[in-house]
Amino acid sequence: MDEHSANEALLVQKEGLVNVSKKTPFFISSVKWTLRVVMWVIFIIWAAFVFMFPSDFVSHLLEKWILATDGTLFGVTGSIFMLFSAPILLMAFLAFAYLSISGEEQSHGKKASRYPGFRLKTFPLFVQGPFGVVSAAESIGIVIFITYVIWAFCKETSNNLNLVALLDLPSKEKCAWMLRHTGLRLGLIGLFCLIFLFLPVARGSILLRLVDIPFEHATRYHVWLGHLTMSLFTLHGIFYIIGWFIEGRLIHELLEWKNVGVANLAGVISLLAGLCMWITSLPGVRRLNFELFFYTHQLYVVFVVFLALHVGDFIFSFAAGAIFLFMLDRFLRFFQSRRTVDVLSARSFPCGTLELVLSKPANLHYNALSWIYLQVRELSWLQWHPFSVSSSPRDGKNHLAILIKVLGDWTAKLEGRIPTDDQKESEIEPLLQSSSRLTVSVEGPYGHESSHHLTYENLVLIAGGIGVSPFLAILSDVLHRINEGTPCLPKNIVIIWAVKTSNELPLLQTVDMESICPNFSDSLNLEILTYVTRESEPSLEEGSKIIEPVNSSTFASSKHHGISVLVGTGNIIWSGTYVVASTIGLIITVALLDIFYINPYNVSYWWYKGLLFLACMVVSTLIFGGLVICLWHIWERKTGINEYENTSENGNLQQTKPKLNKKSVQEQYSTTIRYGQRPDFRDVFESMSDRWGNVDIGVIVCGPPSLQTSVAKECRTQNLKRRGNDAIFHFNSHSFDL
């Protein structure tokens, strides 16, 4: 996470002046550099220890460590926790310190490179296949995991073959022994993969904020790791089942629940819960019935609980750190989602798109490329749907807006809740207002820790349909920054938008460019290329078409119920304190349990100690983490009320209302509409490369997978055939695919 350089010109320009970023004090830079080095050292040592675990060197090292710590308060469980889980929590603590020091500097994005160059994370290496679009950096991660699994399996199999050769047993029993021990090793490998499985699924994880990986990207990694982990656990179970079947004691072993040793029945239940989640998450099933996928995925609670019962406390502690961070995130999200949020206004447009403007406190900050999860209780108490934010954080301190395309039953019902003008003017208005009232809850916002779109001077924003929503937020954010004279790097923006019909075109008018920045053309070169794919020519009234909502409603509220700031991607001080306090609470809880119960009474049942250890994780989250959340909530109420009183929301909301048919605005940017065509990305990218020369061009795509694939393929092609004076295209995706 690089800070702005003192010599780096940031763009621009208020009244012809250029803003230059302030130099970071030497002490702050030194502390940040030290923290980065320490975190890298911890991560490399920890990752090496995990991936090299099957080797004789690491195995002997672990044995020596356990012997050296034998007889201590926490015993073997504490020894393993210190090696495999504590480093994750320690990195979270250091990340808290690092992000706290970075402060506002993070929100401005990373500095632009002085010289154009390739970046592993924005170079699409593979654009088709089971993983979708995969960058070079992601490819390295995939290769590392696949190599680890193959190497670990071969190493463990070799060890088992050496051991079985020493046994004086019949061939049938040797085969069963080999199968069971191979299954054991596969389960251990799967347990290590489980560590990485839970890290990306924590939406507000402080570690994700550290590396600036937004949740919609981390979800892909969770999906990949989920397939790998469940494949290993499934093979783990199958190998054991075959071995027991050969030995003629299959049913007995499946139902066995040992007090000392592994509880097989608990493992069977955990595996069945995992298989239900895995099968329903496969693309065919998930797309056919998303609700089935969503509801069965809540079986992760059963999976984790019975996993702890299955393996006991000391084996469970291998993955306990990552699971604990997920528990903290889930508990925080539960608190945030309990609050009902005011819908300040709602509109339904002719193109089948809804706009909701939601209330938020001024102290809840987000970036232009952000997501929220939305629940409407009148429609469903269980369904949460992700939507990208269509407003800039600079549009208003006390609200944010989202655009929703009416595509399914849930969105159709939502559209029906917006009263028409006739309904509002009728005599039964109070009844209609009460029945059409929207009670919504929100999780988020989630997104990049830094303003990702501010890292490029040249931006190409490619959208399909409603995918233009986040780009409206980017455009608004850039215009506000130019108007206010704050740091803003983009100076060339091209929006390429593919829509099916022309009735979607007026959505661009939701950004009131003239009101935000009357003379933006002095600082920004804006070009909009629109492709109407299912119409061969414009309609007669196309030139005068303006945006007119079919249904609209403004809801008045005196309670000011805004989105709760209790979110992992919110205030870094409170988020970090929550993690630190809960972790300290876990140590205290486990210590008290060992001192007053486990050690005095010689508790030795594996499954029982595993349950107690998991209970300590829950208790520390509820009590110690809950205390921080209560204090955070009190702070939120006090600061939120004060800031709301000092802000005129009516003025902010007025900015969201578009001013129509402003010729002066249209003269400041280039706009082209082509009918019956799809974008030819080769021609578009080549023309940009010729026009802008040897520069970095940030390409951000929001749309269906086919659009992402086409754009990624062309970015890769242009980069591979690049000559010295050609541009370098950096592929970035902003699509949430589940």
Side-chain angles (χ1 to χ4, degrees):
M1 295 185 175
D2 299 327
E3 61 271 15
H4 291 289
S5 171
N7 299 321
E8 186 68 26
L10 281 174
L11 193 79
V12 306
Q13 301 143 1
K14 189 174 183 180
E15 300 177 356
L17 299 178
V18 178
N19 280 329
V20 180
S21 60
K22 296 180 180 179
K23 184 176 181 179
T24 304
F26 175 76
F27 174 75
I28 299 297
S29 300
S30 300
V31 173
K32 290 176 61 179
W33 181 85
T34 302
L35 288 172
R36 282 200 299 267
V37 171
V38 172
M39 285 187 288
W40 269 112
V41 170
I42 293 174
F43 174 76
I44 292 172
I45 294 175
W46 171 76
F49 202 86
V50 169
F51 287 130
M52 299 300 293
F53 182 79
S55 66
D56 295 335
F57 172 76
V58 174
S59 298
H60 293 157
L61 192 63
L62 178 61
E63 292 176 2
K64 293 180 180 179
W65 170 254
I66 292 176
L67 289 174
T69 55
D70 186 31
T72 58
L73 175 62
F74 298 104
V76 177
T77 302
S79 301
I80 295 178
F81 188 90
M82 282 291 294
L83 288 177
F84 294 96
S85 291
I88 298 175
L89 299 175
L90 180 57
M91 283 188 287
F93 295 172
L94 296 175
F96 160 49
Y98 180 88
L99 294 175
S100 299
I101 294 174
S102 298
E104 290 298 322
E105 187 179 309
Q106 281 299 113
S107 65
H108 295 155
K110 302 176 183 179
K111 68 179 182 180
S113 175
R114 186 170 302 177
Y115 304 103
F118 295 103
R119 304 171 193 170
L120 292 178
K121 67 177 183 179
T122 60
F123 185 90
L125 192 60
F126 301 102
V127 298
Q128 292 178 324
F131 298 103
V133 179
V134 181
S135 69
E138 292 169 339
S139 301
I140 293 173
I142 292 173
V143 170
I144 289 175
F145 269 94
I146 293 177
T147 303
Y148 160 69
V149 171
I150 294 175
W151 173 79
F153 179 76
C154 293
K155 178 63 178 178
E156 298 290 7
T157 302
S158 175
N159 293 339
N160 289 338
L161 288 173
N162 294 333
L163 290 174
V164 76
L166 302 176
L167 299 177
D168 186 16
L169 296 173
S171 59
K172 181 178 179 180
E173 294 184 11
K174 281 188 176 182
C175 179
W177 186 95
M178 185 66 185
L179 286 169
R180 286 189 286 108
H181 281 72
T182 302
L184 173 65
R185 302 305 179 186
L186 286 170
L188 188 59
I189 298 171
L191 194 63
F192 286 134
C193 292
L194 193 67
I195 300 174
F196 297 93
L197 176 67
F198 276 94
L199 290 177
V201 80
R203 298 176 185 173
S205 170
I206 200 166
L207 295 178
L208 293 182
R209 296 180 68 175
L210 173 68
V211 295
D212 200 14
I213 297 179
F215 176 65
E216 69 270 17
H217 290 187
T219 301
R220 300 176 69 220
Y221 310 147
H222 173 73
V223 172
W224 298 345
L225 289 164
H227 291 313
L228 175 61
T229 303
M230 284 311 305
S231 297
L232 292 168
F233 281 153
T234 302
L235 290 174
H236 162 74
I238 290 174
F239 274 60
Y240 265 103
I241 289 173
I242 296 175
W244 290 333
F245 179 79
I246 292 175
E247 294 175 334
R249 51 193 183 97
L250 175 60
I251 302 300
H252 171 75
E253 290 289 349
L254 288 176
L255 300 178
E256 188 175 37
W257 193 301
K258 295 179 181 178
N259 290 326
V260 178
V262 173
N264 294 338
L265 181 58
V268 171
I269 297 173
S270 179
L271 180 59
L272 290 176
L275 287 173
C276 288
M277 290 189 290
W278 189 26
I279 293 172
T280 55
S281 68
L282 295 175
V285 180
R286 186 178 68 245
R287 291 169 186 166
L288 192 63
N289 194 332
F290 182 84
E291 290 189 15
L292 178 63
F293 153 75
F294 178 80
Y295 296 141
T296 55
H297 232 63
Q298 310 312 308
L299 290 173
Y300 72 85
V301 177
V302 177
F303 175 79
V304 171
V305 170
F306 281 91
L307 175 64
L309 295 172
H310 173 54
V311 299
D313 59 333
F314 75 93
I315 298 179
F316 183 75
S317 62
F318 278 101
I323 295 176
F324 185 61
L325 287 179
F326 170 75
M327 290 173 59
L328 294 177
D329 178 77
R330 188 65 190 88
F331 186 57
L332 188 59
R333 288 194 283 121
F334 172 80
F335 265 91
Q336 189 196 26
S337 64
R338 294 310 91 196
R339 169 180 286 192
T340 57
V341 178
D342 289 338
V343 178
L344 301 178
S345 66
R347 296 191 293 178
S348 174
F349 298 117
C351 58
T353 300
L354 311 177
E355 181 191 58
L356 298 184
V357 179
L358 307 175
S359 174
K360 83 168 190 66
N363 57 336
L364 176 63
H365 304 288
Y366 67 97
N367 289 319
L369 288 175
S370 292
W371 296 83
I372 65 168
Y373 276 79
L374 183 71
Q375 177 205 57
V376 181
R377 298 184 181 181
E378 286 81 5
L379 307 183
S380 173
W381 279 81
L382 297 176
Q383 293 187 45
W384 290 83
H385 295 267
F387 300 101
S388 55
V389 178
S390 60
S391 61
S392 162
R394 296 171 180 266
D395 284 334
K397 292 184 178 181
N398 294 106
H399 76 276
L400 62 78
I402 57 174
L403 292 176
I404 302 172
K405 185 70 174 178
V406 180
L407 293 174
D409 293 338
W410 188 87
T411 51
K413 292 177 182 177
L414 177 60
E415 184 181 31
R417 303 294 301 186
I418 301 176
T420 64
D421 292 335
D422 293 338
Q423 289 175 332
K424 288 185 289 184
E425 294 173 358
S426 68
E427 296 179 357
I428 55 173
E429 178 182 349
L431 177 62
L432 284 169
Q433 287 289 352
S434 61
S435 64
S436 61
R437 189 72 177 171
L438 296 176
T439 306
V440 304
S441 297
V442 173
E443 284 186 13
Y446 305 106
H448 284 275
E449 179 68 10
S450 61
S451 297
H452 182 58
H453 59 286
L454 299 180
T455 61
Y456 302 98
E457 286 189 1
N458 309 285
L459 272 176
V460 180
L461 310 177
I462 303 176
I466 196 61
V468 76
S469 177
F471 300 153
L472 300 178
I474 288 179
L475 181 58
S476 177
D477 190 57
V478 171
L479 292 176
H480 274 294
R481 287 176 178 272
I482 293 173
N483 187 58
E484 297 166 8
T486 54
C488 181
L489 195 60
K491 60 183 180 183
N492 295 303
I493 296 180
V494 176
I495 299 177
I496 302 175
W497 187 26
V499 296
K500 294 180 180 179
T501 58
S502 58
N503 64 355
E504 297 183 59
L505 299 180
L507 287 178
L508 288 174
Q509 299 175 22
T510 57
V511 178
D512 186 3
M513 291 186 277
E514 183 178 21
S515 175
I516 296 172
C517 185
N519 298 310
F520 64 86
S521 60
D522 297 337
S523 306
L524 176 69
N525 297 317
L526 175 63
E527 183 178 357
I528 300 177
L529 305 175
T530 306
Y531 296 82
V532 183
T533 60
R534 294 188 178 180
E535 294 180 4
S536 57
E537 57 185 14
S539 57
L540 294 177
E541 68 276 8
E542 186 67 39
S544 61
K545 182 180 289 186
I546 62 176
I547 187 167
E548 288 290 349
V550 176
N551 301 335
S552 63
S553 184
T554 301
F555 302 106
S557 174
S558 59
K559 296 183 179 180
H560 311 312
H561 290 161
I563 300 172
S564 173
V565 301
L566 301 178
V567 57
T569 53
N571 185 285
I572 185 61
I573 301 296
W574 282 111
S575 298
T577 304
Y578 172 63
V579 174
V580 173
S582 300
T583 304
I584 294 174
L586 175 61
I587 298 172
I588 295 174
T589 306
V590 173
L592 293 175
L593 185 68
D594 285 337
I595 293 172
F596 294 105
Y597 183 61
I598 291 180
N599 293 335
Y601 293 95
N602 294 320
V603 177
S604 59
Y605 291 179
W606 283 25
W607 66 268
Y608 186 49
K609 292 179 69 176
L611 182 61
L612 290 175
F613 186 72
L614 187 61
C616 288
M617 296 168 62
V618 174
V619 168
S620 62
T621 302
L622 294 177
I623 296 179
F624 293 87
L627 177 61
V628 175
I629 289 177
C630 289
L631 296 175
W632 190 353
H633 178 65
I634 294 172
W635 170 84
E636 174 198 8
R637 291 183 61 184
K638 290 184 177 180
T639 57
I641 292 175
N642 293 335
E643 292 187 4
Y644 193 93
E645 291 176 349
N646 294 329
T647 304
S648 174
E649 181 60 36
N650 291 332
N652 291 332
L653 279 177
Q654 187 68 29
Q655 295 179 8
T656 66
K657 297 179 181 180
K659 296 181 180 179
L660 309 176
N661 293 337
K662 295 293 184 180
K663 249 186 175 180
S664 58
V665 174
Q666 295 181 358
E667 291 173 352
Q668 295 188 65
Y669 68 91
S670 171
T671 179
T672 303
I673 302 177
R674 297 177 180 176
Y675 291 84
Q677 299 182 33
R678 296 182 181 275
D680 187 335
F681 294 115
R682 175 179 297 180
D683 291 343
V684 173
F685 284 11
E686 287 180 350
S687 66
M688 292 176 186
S689 183
D690 293 339
R691 188 193 321 169
W692 294 337
N694 184 23
V695 296
D696 288 314
I697 299 178
V699 180
I700 307 179
V701 183
C702 186
S706 58
L707 178 64
Q708 298 179 55
T709 299
S710 299
V711 175
K713 185 176 181 180
E714 191 56 40
C715 286
R716 184 184 64 178
T717 301
Q718 293 292 331
N719 289 338
L720 290 178
K721 71 175 187 178
R722 174 180 180 269
R723 295 186 296 271
N725 294 323
D726 292 338
I728 297 178
F729 293 89
H730 299 272
F731 176 83
N732 301 272
S733 173
H734 185 68
S735 298
F736 193 98
D737 296 323
L738 273 181

